[in-house]
Amino acid sequence: MLVLAVLVAIVIKSNALSWDSVFTSLAKIGIVNFLLALSMAVAQYSILAARFVLLLPKASANVARRQICRIFTNGQLFNHLFPARAGDLYKVIALKGASTDPTFSSAYVVSALIIERLVSTLVLLSLIALLVDWSGVAIADLSFLDRSRQIKTLAAVILLLAVAFYVAQKRSKKLHQWLIELKRSFIKILGPQRLFIVVVLSIMIWSLEVVSMKFVAAPLGIDLQLGQGLFVLLLLNLGIAVPVTLGNIGTYEAVLVIGLSLWGVSTSDAIVVALSHHALQILSLAILAGVLNTLVYFFKEQARQTPR
C-alpha cells in the first residue's frame, strides 16, 4: 500500500497527464450510462454464479443452489478486495462446510474452479481469434523484453514448480490421495452436455463484460468493438493473475490503460474507462452479494420459525 501511495503521488505531480481531462471525461459518462453498465455487470456475475452451480451437481444435491450462488459471489467479491485469491480459498472452505454429505471432498470444488477457469479462458481465446482485427493494434508503441529470455524464464519456473509438486505428492500420502480425488472429480463434472452449456454461458459472460465497458466508453467517443474489448479483458486477466496490491488497485487500472491504448484510446480516456470498469465490477458484486446473503438469511429464518 505504501508503494502504491508513492506511485499515485508521483503520477499526480507529473505533467505527463492532464487530470482535468480525466475529471471532464468522468463527467461525460453520466448516471444513465453508468447504471446501464452496472446492470450488465450484475447480469454478468449472476450468470457466472449460475455457471458455477452447474459445475457442482454433487453439491447441488445437498446444498441449496441459492447457497452455492451466495458462497461463489462472496468469494468473487473477496477476490476483488483481498490479495492472493483469498476468495477461491473461501469458496472451497465454505462449500465444504455447507455440505451435509460426509463424502463431499474439497477436491470436488477445486476441480470445478479449475474447469471454470480453463473453459472460460479457452472460450475467450477462441472469441479473440475469431473477432479481433490485428491490423488495428498499435503494438509498435510497446517495448517488450527479449522473447528468448521470457521463454527460458517461464520454462524454468514451470519446471521447478513441477518438480517440487511431484516430490511433495510422493512424500505426502494425503496430497497424493487428494490429487487422485481431484482427477476423479474433474472427469465426473465435465460431461459433453454440461460442457456445451458452460461454453455458451462463458460466451455470454465475456460479452456482457465488454458491453458493460462499452456503455462507459461510448460517451467518450470510444468505439470499442467486441473483439477489441475481449482482447483488453485477456490482458487484464493476465495482468492480475498474480496479485501484487490489495484488491489489485493500480495494477488493474494500469493493465486496462495499456490494453485500451493499443486500440488508439488516449491515456486520460483509458484511465476513466479503467477506473469506471473496476468500480463497476466491485459494486455489482457487492450488490449481488448483498441480495443473495439477504435471501439466504431470510430463508433460514423462515425455516427456523416454521413448526415441525
Side-chain angles (χ1 to χ4, degrees), residues 72 98 114 125 128 201-202 206 209 215 220 228 230 233 282:
F72 178 82
I114 293 174
L125 291 172
I128 290 172
L201 293 179
S202 299
W206 288 120
E209 187 166 0
F215 276 121
L220 306 178
Q228 295 173 340
L230 291 171
L233 293 179
I282 296 175

Side-chain angles (χ1 to χ4, degrees), residues 240 256 282:
I240 63 174
L256 275 180
I282 296 175

Side-chain angles (χ1 to χ4, degrees), residues 111-244:
S111 298
L113 289 171
I114 293 174
I115 291 171
E116 179 195 39
R117 180 50 49 194
L118 180 62
V119 174
S120 185
T121 302
L122 290 175
V123 168
L124 178 59
L125 291 172
S126 301
L127 289 173
I128 290 172
L130 290 171
L131 298 174
V132 173
D133 179 12
W134 297 104
S135 62
V137 62
I139 296 179
D141 294 338
L142 292 179
S143 58
F144 295 93
L145 296 174
D146 180 70
R147 186 153 183 83
S148 62
R149 290 179 60 187
Q150 291 181 14
I151 295 174
K152 289 177 181 178
T153 303
L154 181 61
V157 171
I158 293 175
L159 181 60
L160 286 174
L161 290 175
V163 171
F165 196 73
Y166 178 78
V167 172
Q169 65 93 23
K170 278 292 185 181
R171 292 186 177 183
S172 174
K173 187 177 180 180
K174 287 185 177 180
L175 179 59
H176 183 73
Q177 291 298 324
W178 185 82
L179 288 173
I180 293 175
E181 179 64 23
L182 181 66
K183 180 181 178 181
R184 290 174 182 169
S185 300
F186 196 96
I187 295 172
K188 186 175 181 180
I189 291 173
L190 202 60
Q193 184 177 0
R194 185 172 290 114
L195 175 61
F196 175 77
I197 299 175
V198 168
V199 168
V200 172
L201 293 179
S202 299
I203 294 173
M204 294 173 63
I205 291 165
W206 288 120
S207 300
L208 283 169
E209 187 166 0
V210 175
V211 171
S212 177
M213 196 182 298
K214 280 175 68 69
F215 276 121
V216 173
L220 306 178
I222 302 171
D223 184 19
L224 189 66
Q225 301 300 315
L226 179 59
Q228 295 173 340
L230 291 171
F231 180 67
V232 171
L233 293 179
L234 174 62
L235 293 181
L236 173 62
N237 281 269
L238 291 174
I240 63 174
V242 181
V244 293

Side-chain angles (χ1 to χ4, degrees), residues 52 55-56 59 88 91-93 95-96 104-115 182 185 189:
F52 190 67
L55 290 171
L56 286 175
D88 289 340
K91 294 171 193 174
V92 175
I93 296 174
L95 280 169
K96 174 69 175 176
F104 186 79
S105 171
S106 60
Y108 187 69
V109 184
V110 174
S111 298
L113 289 171
I114 293 174
I115 291 171
L182 181 66
S185 300
I189 291 173

Side-chain angles (χ1 to χ4, degrees), residues 279-290:
L280 284 165
Q281 293 288 293
I282 296 175
L283 182 58
S284 61
L285 277 170
I287 292 172
L288 192 58

Side-chain angles (χ1 to χ4, degrees), residues 265-284:
V265 179
S266 66
T267 303
S268 58
D269 285 346
I271 289 175
V272 171
V273 174
L275 289 171
S276 301
H277 185 264
H278 199 176
L280 284 165
Q281 293 288 293
I282 296 175
L283 182 58
S284 61

